[in-house]
Amino acid sequence: MSVTVRVPAKVNVQLAVGAARPDGFHDLANVFLAVGLYDEVTVTPADELTVTCSGPDAAQVPLDASNLAARAAIALAERHGIAPHVHIHIAKDIPVAGGMAGGSADGAAALLACDALWSTGATRDELLAICAELGSDVPFSLVGGAALGIGRGEQLTTIDVGGTFHWVFAVADGGLSTPAVYGEFDRLTADTDVPAPAASPALLDALRRGDTHALAGALSNDLQPAALSLRPSLDDTLAAGTAAGALAALVSGSGPTTAFLVADAESARKVADALLTSGTCRTARVAVSPAPGATVL
């Protein structure tokens, strides 16, 4: 018997970042939106815990106990006195190290899959607590849809979304380390008074009304200057997508994937084609949001 879970990528339509805390983390006001690019994680009983991966950039995915999917299986097993002896296979379609929470998604998917495989009877709150232990973005990968994350981003409040939003995601060559981007944020803001992060009322209202143009005017990412500092070529990608007709453009999370909000499906195809022609990205993906969270297939 095996269990497969499908789990979405995310885009941060707002990422407000506070100053570094004593524990090294940053307080956030992180507005997540799940988008229709998915990984599928399958767990099967085995003699020991193993991880395999297929799909784009699979070679970049760690296959040892550092993989969030493996860590999720171990965490759930420890809570319920179960040996974490499963084979975890990750079928990747979310960009790797691209600021779209691909690793976090795999952790949430493996957790839900193991819960179903082992019939642990874990409550939703227990699963979310394990997700929060695994990483700041993991709880949202379980929940999906749209949510405001505070604290490290793991304390979620769901947000109603009143329509469908169309996106193009430009995938860059290579990844960007999230800790490195936060480190660069700290360097760039070292001599400034970083305000406490807060969600934008205009952005939340745009999501609730399903107003694409209003959302375009409210998108923001406090990590974008740091990502551009570490990868200046992303400026060319942002400019190419905007010139092709995107309503708004920003770095997705810690990057280096860049996100372009467009008016409709036809505009998405046009912007994706222009980005590919521009030579400023490796590939361009079209997706819609919101998308459901981790789901057993």
Side-chain angles (χ1 to χ4, degrees):
M1 186 179 73
S2 64
V3 176
T4 298
V5 169
R6 186 175 75 166
V7 64
K10 61 82 180 167
V11 62
N12 304 92
V13 289
Q14 181 188 4
L15 182 49
V17 182
R21 307 187 319 203
D23 63 3
F25 289 103
H26 298 69
D27 284 321
L28 305 175
N30 197 350
V31 182
F32 297 101
L33 193 57
V35 299
L37 299 176
Y38 301 95
D39 284 358
E40 291 187 1
V41 176
T42 300
V43 299
T44 307
D47 293 330
E48 60 181 356
L49 177 61
T50 57
V51 181
T52 56
C53 185
S54 62
D57 300 318
Q60 298 180 35
V61 176
L63 302 180
D64 57 15
S66 69
N67 187 294
L68 275 171
R71 290 174 54 197
I74 291 168
L76 183 66
E78 287 179 345
R79 284 189 176 224
H80 291 273
I82 299 168
H85 292 168
V86 288
H87 171 228
I88 302 171
H89 180 72
I90 303 167
K92 291 295 298 181
D93 196 40
I94 301 172
V96 176
M100 300 189 74
S104 296
D106 297 339
L111 181 66
L112 187 60
C114 287
D115 173 61
L117 181 70
W118 296 331
S119 300
T120 66
T123 65
R124 188 73 163 177
D125 285 346
E126 180 182 348
L127 294 177
L128 285 170
I130 296 172
C131 286
E133 294 170 4
L134 293 170
S136 300
D137 288 346
V138 184
F140 178 72
S141 296
L142 187 70
V143 172
L148 167 63
I150 60 171
R152 292 184 287 109
E154 83 286 8
Q155 301 170 36
L156 298 178
T157 302
T158 58
I159 299 168
D160 291 330
V161 179
T164 299
F165 297 99
H166 294 264
W167 297 89
V168 179
F169 296 96
V171 181
D173 280 318
L176 267 178
S177 158
T178 298
V181 174
Y182 273 99
E184 183 68 358
F185 171 86
D186 291 338
R187 187 187 72 81
L188 293 174
T189 59
D191 298 324
T192 63
D193 184 16
V194 179
S200 161
L203 181 134
L204 297 178
D205 182 63
L207 287 172
R208 293 189 181 104
R209 292 188 290 110
D211 188 330
T212 299
H213 286 82
L215 182 63
L219 297 178
S220 66
N221 179 3
D222 287 353
L223 290 183
Q224 181 161 312
L228 294 177
S229 175
L230 295 174
R231 190 75 66 85
S233 61
L234 296 180
D235 260 328
D236 295 333
T237 314
L238 293 170
T242 302
L247 301 176
L250 80 168
V251 174
S252 179
S254 57
T257 300
T258 44
F260 302 87
L261 181 62
V262 297
D264 49 35
E266 182 179 352
S267 300
R269 288 190 294 270
K270 176 183 174 184
V271 170
D273 289 344
L275 283 164
L276 288 172
T277 302
S278 74
T280 63
C281 61
R282 179 157 51 92
T283 188
R285 305 291 305 279
V286 172
V288 298
S289 62
T295 305
V296 177
L297 298 181

